[in-house]
Amino acid sequence: MAQINAAEAGGLQQALDALPESGGTVFLPAGKYVVSETIEKELAEGQHLFLVGEGRATVIVNENEEGADLLRIAGVLGEWWPDLKITIRDITFLGNHASGDALVVDHPNDTLVDACFFYGHGGKAIYLKTKGTNVTVRDCWMRDCKHAVRAENIHHLTLHGNQTRSMKDGQEQEAQVFLDRNCREVRVVNNHIAYGHHEAIILDGTAQHVLIGNTIEGFPVGILARNDRERDCRDMTIGSNYIHYGCGIRLEGQCNGFVISDNILTDCQEGAVVIDSADGTGAHAITGNVIRKSVYEGQGGIALADSVGCSVTGNVFEEVERSPAITAGPGGGQHVIASNNITKSEGEQIAVTDAPGCLVSGNLVNGRPI
């Protein structure tokens, strides 16, 4: 396969334009590449692309201040399974608060974005759109970007080992990870999502994802799941995450079949797991979580609201001060609330109000069986 040196070709756009039909490697050696117009490349069937730089030493700067994107790559439009592989690795993408997205991949089938650095973009660091499958974004840094990753109709997506955060005197960020209603079988694992201004992760009417082993800290809402205009949000595993501050996990509207297990939720003063306006949906298993005040603003509990058929079992609560450890109703019901251990928490800690058919058994509150 061909190898094209972008510096020798006259720039990244020229190098991409020179890519042969069989594809090849476009190499950006160390240096600063300043652009003011969007760089674009539409690939054809069999035109594989390996776009690689030298990490922090290869810097592409978007100087556009009218919302233009930096780099747009398109796969084979209209196809789910083309013969096409895209790899983008070891490149620094710098933007400004008036620029657009850093990297847009349309139809990202068999695509890997690896060890790239994104800073200061007024849009999304990475935008995966239209449709695609078998996509991985791993070990990337995304700082002071309006959004980190937005995925629309992407199946078999893995987000692994990425880091996001806001910066002092930076822009106000929106949700950092957004999965739309048509995403399926997404794995969000081992990422560190830190100190944003709205939600860390939004699951927007989507289904069948795994969120495991992430560190989420400093957001008003850590994980927000909600129904969209036509369907529920469903079939999620949220496990072994560390979630600190605000509302840890919020299920808003019609959500079904969540497993929320083995997380540690600390200083979530607006609630550890909060269900709102469930409209009779539910069937969630909330098990084995540690929910406790650490050293900051206090801790809230688990609120089932009007959901139906949930099991809240084997959780440990300590110093829950902002609300009872577990509440249910009014509305909904048919819950199992059992074998929870609640310590160092004053007042009524298990409150079931107008939620019929609940089994409350074998709980320990400050050493007293309930």
Side-chain angles (χ1 to χ4, degrees):
M1 295 178 69
Q3 177 166 314
I4 303 169
N5 186 310
E8 295 174 357
L12 179 55
Q13 184 66 70
Q14 291 82 353
L16 291 170
D17 290 343
L19 197 69
E21 291 184 2
S22 60
T25 298
V26 173
F27 172 58
L28 281 80
K32 183 177 181 181
Y33 302 82
V34 177
V35 300
S36 57
E37 297 182 354
T38 302
I39 299 169
E40 299 188 76
K41 178 63 179 179
E42 183 175 334
L43 299 167
E45 182 94 13
Q47 194 178 28
H48 309 292
L49 173 63
F50 179 32
L51 175 57
V52 61
E54 295 186 284
R56 299 290 181 100
T58 297
V59 182
I60 311 175
V61 182
N62 187 2
E63 288 192 339
N64 184 281
E65 296 184 357
E66 298 178 353
D69 302 331
L70 198 166
L71 174 61
R72 294 180 189 159
I73 302 292
V76 181
L77 302 181
E79 298 295 327
W80 271 111
W81 294 99
D83 176 20
L84 178 63
K85 296 176 176 62
I86 303 169
T87 299
I88 300 170
R89 174 176 290 156
D90 290 325
I91 297 172
T92 297
F93 297 82
L94 297 187
N96 62 77
H97 295 169
S99 66
D101 302 332
L103 173 62
V104 180
V105 188
D106 193 348
H107 284 70
N109 294 287
D110 291 330
T111 295
L112 169 64
V113 183
D114 182 29
C116 291
F117 184 85
F118 301 86
Y119 188 91
H121 298 275
K124 298 166 281 293
I126 299 173
Y127 185 16
L128 307 166
K129 61 181 289 189
T130 309
K131 66 180 183 180
T133 190
N134 293 350
V135 180
T136 296
V137 178
R138 70 183 185 194
D139 298 332
C140 292
W141 296 263
M142 306 169 192
R143 297 179 186 166
D144 192 32
C145 298
K146 179 67 78 173
H147 309 266
V149 178
R150 183 181 177 100
E152 298 174 359
N153 198 17
I154 307 299
H155 296 207
H156 301 182
L157 166 65
T158 297
L159 305 178
H160 180 278
N162 302 290
Q163 296 187 39
T164 83
R165 76 176 292 142
S166 60
M167 299 298 293
K168 183 180 179 181
D169 302 323
Q171 65 183 317
E172 181 176 340
Q173 296 175 314
E174 299 298 332
Q176 288 301 283
V177 176
F178 184 98
L179 305 178
D180 92 324
R181 66 193 300 269
N182 293 314
C183 288
R184 292 292 182 274
E185 291 88 33
V186 174
R187 299 190 312 145
V188 182
V189 294
N190 298 342
N191 302 282
H192 190 169
I193 307 175
Y195 301 107
H197 306 102
H198 292 274
E199 301 86 0
I201 299 172
I202 292 182
L203 309 172
D204 191 45
T206 186
Q208 302 162 345
H209 308 322
V210 172
L211 293 79
I212 290 180
N214 301 286
T215 295
I216 300 171
E217 57 177 329
F219 288 84
V221 179
I223 298 171
L224 171 62
R226 65 193 185 194
N227 66 288
D228 75 346
R229 62 188 182 279
E230 295 177 358
R231 63 176 67 154
D232 61 340
C233 189
R234 64 191 186 277
D235 307 336
M236 301 288 175
T237 295
I238 301 175
S240 299
N241 301 287
Y242 168 83
I243 304 177
H244 171 78
Y245 192 71
C247 177
I249 300 167
R250 182 176 176 85
L251 278 54
E252 190 173 278
Q254 297 182 8
C255 296
N256 281 292
F258 281 56
V259 175
I260 301 172
S261 64
D262 302 321
N263 301 284
I264 182 165
L265 298 117
T266 70
D267 292 311
C268 297
Q269 66 271 20
E270 300 302 323
V273 180
V274 176
I275 299 173
D276 182 50
S277 303
D279 193 25
T281 58
H284 310 305
I286 305 172
T287 66
N289 301 283
V290 174
I291 298 168
R292 64 187 300 272
K293 178 183 176 182
S294 181
V295 293
Y296 299 103
E297 296 188 31
Q299 178 65 50
I302 295 172
L304 300 176
D306 61 338
S307 63
V308 172
C310 300
S311 290
V312 180
T313 60
N315 300 285
V316 174
F317 301 81
E318 184 182 64
E319 291 187 273
V320 176
E321 301 169 342
R322 295 299 185 94
S323 66
I326 303 168
T327 61
Q334 303 174 34
H335 306 301
V336 173
I337 301 171
S339 301
N340 298 284
N341 192 357
I342 303 168
T343 65
K344 300 180 182 178
S345 304
E346 301 301 324
E348 184 182 24
Q349 288 298 317
I350 299 178
V352 178
T353 305
D354 297 328
C358 294
L359 172 64
V360 180
S361 176
N363 301 285
L364 199 64
V365 178
N366 297 321
R368 293 180 292 106
I370 292 180

